Amino acid sequence: MGHTATAQAASGGLTATEHRLANGLRVVLSEDHLTPVAAVCLWYDVGSRHEVKGRTGLAHLFEHLMFQGSHQVHGNGHFELVQGAGGSLNGTTSFERTNYFETMPAHQVELALWLEADRMGSLLAALDEESMENQRDVVKNERRQRYDNVPYGTAFEKLTALAYPEGHPYHHTPIGSMADLDAATLEDARNFFRTYYAPNNAVLAVVGDIDPEQTLAWVEKYFGSIPLHDGKQPPRDGALPETMGGQLREVVEEDVPARALMAAYRLPHDGTRESDAADLALTVLGGGESSRLHNRLVRRDQSAVAAGFGLLRLAGAPSLGWLDVKTSAGVDVPDIEAAVDEELARFAEEGPTEEEMERAQAQLEREWLDRLGTVAGRADELCRYAVLFGDPQLALTAVDRVLDITAAEVQAVAAARLRPDNRAVLVYEPIAAPEAGNEEEEEAGQ
């Protein structure tokens, strides 16, 4: 078979085994006969952090190109075959990976494996100028819809550029720029595929109502003959100092419905105890309607209509604590900012209460179990831990690690990181509407 199996690990009755084909493809299987469905998830170790200046957006563009046909599956055939078999499918791109996934009736798992193998092994045979132009236009339109033409749509891109300095591999977002999307050539796309879409740069997880021996035989049958590729270069170093050493700030005047305060705090890398502690801190401070910031800004002061604080986990660079506050009518951003800083300072000095710790840990535990409780969510987490941390078994014990964090650790990370000198700030100011009289004068003069 050209594979070796690792020992099983279990958490809450969940198990997973890991295997490796001779061409380097890592395979993770998790058997679960609760329902007659199964998930196939394929992670490639490529994201926007692997891109170079002038060619941003290639990873995301290629996610779309992977649905444009391969040697034996033409046009929109991948969607048609999966959906015709009663399954669902999609793909996503992030800073650190690109993933593709199908959830299928259990008896249709072989179809999903064949489809994924066909495009991994033969996409170049179908990649031409027509499909390139088609998907380039799709991605550009997606950028318009999600970033350029929606209220606050530019926030993620602007804050990321502030939080990570020019030249840093995380300085740009996966969507890429319009100019770079226009500049990408068919040969750029072909080289990108050859470099990153190889079995030795991927992890395949199959989870659900499967026969592991039969599933592994199918994986070997369809993926085993795909050659490996050794040309991949490691991503550029994403290391940065623990704190920003000052506050970065940008004011944006746009057509938005209300003033907004957004901020990104530099936090520990994913996969560390400090990152789990930071997640708990942000949950206490801004995770839902029981959080401190919601209680202070929305309920008590009524100075905001929404206030949230969440963690963008990143393994290859410092993670970001993402603050998002939309103000109430007539409220100035400095007042909101002063209240936020007051709450963060109080939390850093006092730490979470016992009740807040229990609630935050229960909230994160529920979120983790929700993910692991579905075949698709578990497959995705097994791939994530295999690609980013080298060990898929870590996905099955993540809940235990969150529950092991102490209040002192939560307080410590808040005191060290949730400070005004460790954030990038984005302030949205609505563009004032022109007076009706001026509009009438302009129309009359035309």
Side-chain angles (χ1 to χ4, degrees):
M1 289 291 293
H3 70 267
T4 57
T6 62
Q8 288 192 356
S11 175
L14 303 179
T15 62
T17 58
E18 184 181 0
H19 316 264
R20 191 183 293 269
L21 302 191
N23 59 10
L25 178 68
R26 297 175 69 182
V27 183
V28 185
L29 304 179
S30 181
E31 193 176 358
D32 181 352
H33 301 291
L34 187 62
T35 55
V37 296
V40 173
C41 182
L42 189 60
W43 271 46
Y44 290 92
D45 186 9
V46 57
S48 57
R49 67 172 173 165
H50 295 86
E51 297 165 350
V52 298
K53 188 174 182 179
R55 289 297 182 270
T56 65
L58 264 179
H60 180 233
L61 175 61
F62 222 96
E63 173 214 317
H64 286 259
L65 289 171
M66 285 283 276
F67 290 100
Q68 276 291 283
S70 50
H71 180 58
Q72 300 181 79
V73 182
H74 303 294
N76 204 39
H78 196 113
F79 276 101
E80 293 168 356
L81 287 168
V82 170
Q83 292 172 343
S88 61
L89 72 162
N90 214 329
T92 67
T93 311
S94 76
F95 291 100
E96 300 182 323
R97 59 96 185 104
T98 307
N99 67 345
Y100 303 89
F101 44 92
E102 295 88 7
T103 300
M104 307 290 286
H107 67 284
Q108 295 285 6
V109 167
E110 184 181 8
L111 172 63
L113 292 171
W114 174 74
L115 286 167
E116 289 292 358
D118 191 58
R119 59 182 177 182
M120 178 191 281
S122 69
L123 186 96
L124 287 184
L127 184 59
D128 56 21
E129 289 287 359
E130 182 181 357
S131 58
M132 182 81 172
E133 289 306 314
N134 179 298
Q135 291 308 303
R136 192 201 313 267
D137 289 341
V138 169
V139 172
K140 288 169 69 175
N141 194 47
E142 179 182 341
R143 180 187 167 87
R144 294 184 190 101
Q145 292 178 340
R146 294 176 53 196
Y147 285 75
D148 298 336
N149 297 331
V150 294
Y152 315 107
T154 56
F156 184 54
E157 193 170 46
K158 288 180 178 295
L159 263 185
T160 299
L162 280 175
Y164 300 109
E166 181 75 37
H168 190 274
Y170 292 68
H171 179 73
H172 69 278
T173 57
I175 195 70
S177 73
M178 285 290 197
D180 287 356
L181 287 169
D182 283 333
T185 66
L186 181 60
E187 192 55 35
D188 288 332
R190 287 173 171 161
N191 288 335
F192 195 88
F193 179 84
R194 294 187 190 102
T195 302
Y196 296 110
Y197 280 78
N200 54 314
N201 195 47
V203 172
L204 172 69
V206 187
V207 175
D209 188 15
I210 60 171
D211 176 337
E213 186 175 343
Q214 176 63 77
T215 302
L216 205 53
W218 285 331
V219 172
E220 177 66 39
K221 176 182 178 180
Y222 297 122
F223 289 88
S225 62
I226 301 173
L228 56 80
H229 182 80
D230 290 327
K232 176 188 172 184
Q233 296 297 314
R236 290 168 292 138
D237 185 12
L240 290 169
E242 288 192 353
T243 60
M244 296 183 190
Q247 184 173 179
L248 304 170
R249 197 175 194 89
E250 182 177 345
V251 177
V252 182
E253 293 186 359
E254 285 188 2
D255 185 14
V256 292
R259 293 188 176 105
L261 170 69
M262 301 185 190
Y265 293 77
R266 187 176 294 173
L267 294 176
H269 289 62
D270 193 14
T272 62
R273 284 186 67 91
E274 293 80 8
S275 180
D276 288 336
D279 204 353
L280 286 165
L282 300 188
T283 301
V284 172
L285 287 164
E289 295 185 0
S290 63
S291 66
R292 291 195 180 193
L293 290 177
H294 184 89
N295 281 327
R296 169 70 185 271
L297 299 173
V298 180
R299 286 183 177 170
R300 196 193 88 179
D301 296 354
Q302 297 184 2
S303 57
V305 295
F309 214 167
L311 180 63
L312 175 62
R313 288 179 174 265
L314 296 170
S319 300
L320 293 180
W322 206 270
L323 174 71
D324 186 348
V325 181
K326 305 297 193 307
T327 70
S328 300
V331 176
D332 292 327
V333 167
D335 295 335
I336 292 283
E337 197 166 357
V340 168
D341 288 342
E342 183 181 314
E343 290 299 321
L344 296 188
R346 184 164 68 89
F347 188 78
E349 182 178 348
E350 301 172 359
T353 66
E354 183 177 345
E355 180 185 354
E356 286 175 326
M357 276 294 291
E358 290 180 0
R359 188 166 58 238
Q361 286 177 316
Q363 186 172 330
L364 293 186
E365 181 182 22
R366 188 200 71 240
E367 292 171 2
W368 268 107
L369 294 178
D370 283 347
R371 286 198 289 275
L372 295 181
T374 67
V375 293
R378 195 184 324 159
D380 196 55
E381 291 299 334
L382 289 168
C383 282
R384 182 169 84 91
Y385 277 95
V387 169
L388 299 180
F389 306 109
D391 184 1
Q393 308 290 352
L394 291 171
L396 305 182
T397 55
V399 171
D400 297 332
R401 290 192 295 277
V402 170
L403 298 180
D404 192 49
I405 300 298
T406 66
E409 290 176 286
V410 173
Q411 181 181 0
V413 76
R417 302 296 190 101
L418 300 181
R419 307 182 336 218
D421 64 347
N422 183 40
R423 69 184 176 200
V425 177
L426 204 59
V427 175
Y428 277 88
E429 288 285 349
I431 298 174
E435 296 180 10
N438 290 340
E439 287 182 348
E440 291 170 1
E441 289 173 8
E442 290 172 6
E443 289 173 0
Q446 289 176 352

